[in-house]
């Protein structure tokens, strides 16, 4: 079993590929975006607060997200491995993840980063926005804000993991099956 971060910009296919990886390898999927959307659907105080940031394409504050991941860990104490999707998104979150895994006597094995052009990302997100009900998908201005946030706040996380020699880039364009095969090949080669 392993702990893996699936990294990449909005719309790069993290959620799509996570479902397939979880089915194949049996790791626990933790998507901070999904956890936040569940909080919004249940109209919890955390969800109401988070929505203000998400609707504008901004990141939810670190302490909120880290607290949420911490309680997810508490609820899944017996899990042998995790697939992180959309987390960490800041260097502070990456440092917090190291500490949380350390407490469980675990470590992060690899960060697989999906590389997709901005043009293709916008196309995918606007298309999804027609049916997803996600307010952050329907407005191109908000989508562009999400990219800017990704470039400014999340890209430094890539450098953090490059220094730790855990970062591997994967071509994220092509069919879902081709990308899945490339991810599995990297996992089987480097981790299993
Ligand atoms: P989050 O839910 O994490 O969204 P995201 O990173 O913006 O990513 P998406 O879900 O939009 O895309 P994805 O990479 O999962 O791609 P998908 O598989 O869906 O975050 C949303 C918001 O929550 C953030 O903006 C922030 O406000 C907040 N948040 C979340 N985590 C946070 C954190 N850690 N810290 C602070 N704030 C946080 O695919 C996209 C579309 O493309 C789909 O329609 C799919 O069918 C299609 N597609 C997938 N693969 C392909 C392919 N190969 N070819 C063609 N189409 C494809």
């Amino acid at each position: 079993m392993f702990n893996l971060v699936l990294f990449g910009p909005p719309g790069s296919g993290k959620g799509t590929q996570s479902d397939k990886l979880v089915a194949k390898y049996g790791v626990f999927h933790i998507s901070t975006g999904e956890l936040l959307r569940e909080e919004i659907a249940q109209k919890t105080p955390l969800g109401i607060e988070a929505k203000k940031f998400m609707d504008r394409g901004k990141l939810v504050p670190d302490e909120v997200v880290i607290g949420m991941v911490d309680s997810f860990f508490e609820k899944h104490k017996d899990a042998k491995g995790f697939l992180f999707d959309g987390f960490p998104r800041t260097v502070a979150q990456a440092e917090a993840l190291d500490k949380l895994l350390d407490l469980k006597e675990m470590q992060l094995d690899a960060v697989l980063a999906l590389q997709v052009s901005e043009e293709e990302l916008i196309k995918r997100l606007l298309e999804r926005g027609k049916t997803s009900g996600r307010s952050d998908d329907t407005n191109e201005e908000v989508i562009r804000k999400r990219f800017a946030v990704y470039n400014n706040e999340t890209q430094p996380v890539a450098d953090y993991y490059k220094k730790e020699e855990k970062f591997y880039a994967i071509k994220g364009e092509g069919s879902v099956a081709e990308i899945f095969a490339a991810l599995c090949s990297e996992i089987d080669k480097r981790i299993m």
Side-chain angles (χ1 to χ4, degrees):
M1 213 48 94
F2 54 81
N3 294 300
L4 184 78
V5 170
L6 197 53
F7 192 79
S12 56
K14 302 184 295 294
T16 304
Q17 297 295 337
S18 289
D19 291 345
K20 295 172 76 65
L21 291 170
V22 166
K24 174 162 176 166
Y25 294 101
V27 280
F28 254 84
H29 181 206
I30 168 162
S31 156
T32 43
E34 271 177 30
L35 290 178
L36 289 165
R37 281 186 289 277
E38 278 165 25
E39 298 278 346
I40 291 173
Q42 289 164 21
K43 297 191 167 61
T44 64
L46 189 156
I48 291 166
E49 196 51 32
K51 189 172 186 317
K52 294 179 195 160
F53 294 91
M54 292 166 75
D55 281 351
R56 284 184 285 152
K58 296 175 89 175
L59 292 184
V60 174
D62 284 338
E63 59 275 19
V64 175
V65 176
I66 292 165
M68 214 173 55
V69 173
D70 194 10
S71 28
F72 187 91
F73 271 13
E74 279 303 305
K75 280 189 213 138
H76 299 94
K77 280 200 164 98
D78 298 333
K80 302 272 183 291
F82 293 94
L83 172 61
F84 300 94
D85 157 7
F87 179 87
R89 262 175 148 99
T90 63
V91 170
Q93 291 181 18
E95 288 167 352
L97 178 60
D98 282 346
K99 286 192 192 128
L100 289 173
L101 287 173
D102 213 32
L103 286 173
K104 288 178 86 69
E105 295 181 355
M106 285 177 164
Q107 61 161 13
L108 191 64
D109 295 289
V111 176
L112 302 185
L114 295 169
Q115 317 273 297
V116 181
S117 71
E118 203 162 296
E119 196 190 359
E120 167 74 9
L121 295 172
I122 291 179
K123 204 172 77 190
R124 288 185 191 178
L125 292 175
L126 287 174
E127 187 56 36
R128 185 177 66 183
K130 291 179 189 166
T131 52
S132 69
R134 277 180 60 168
S135 58
D136 58 349
D137 278 352
T138 40
N139 181 333
E140 191 165 334
E141 204 179 310
V142 173
I143 292 175
R144 290 201 183 274
K145 173 71 185 168
R146 285 159 70 196
F147 292 154
V149 167
Y150 177 80
N151 290 331
N152 294 331
E153 300 180 52
T154 304
Q155 270 299 342
V157 177
D159 297 329
Y160 179 90
Y161 289 122
K162 279 178 193 165
K163 271 192 213 133
E164 293 193 356
E165 299 183 1
K166 289 181 176 171
F167 186 91
Y168 305 101
I170 306 280
K171 188 174 164 227
E173 291 187 45
S175 73
V176 169
E178 281 165 352
I179 299 161
F180 181 60
L183 288 167
C184 292
S185 149
E186 207 66 34
I187 291 170
D188 295 342
K189 188 165 67 188
R190 302 202 181 275
I191 309 176
M192 300 297 281

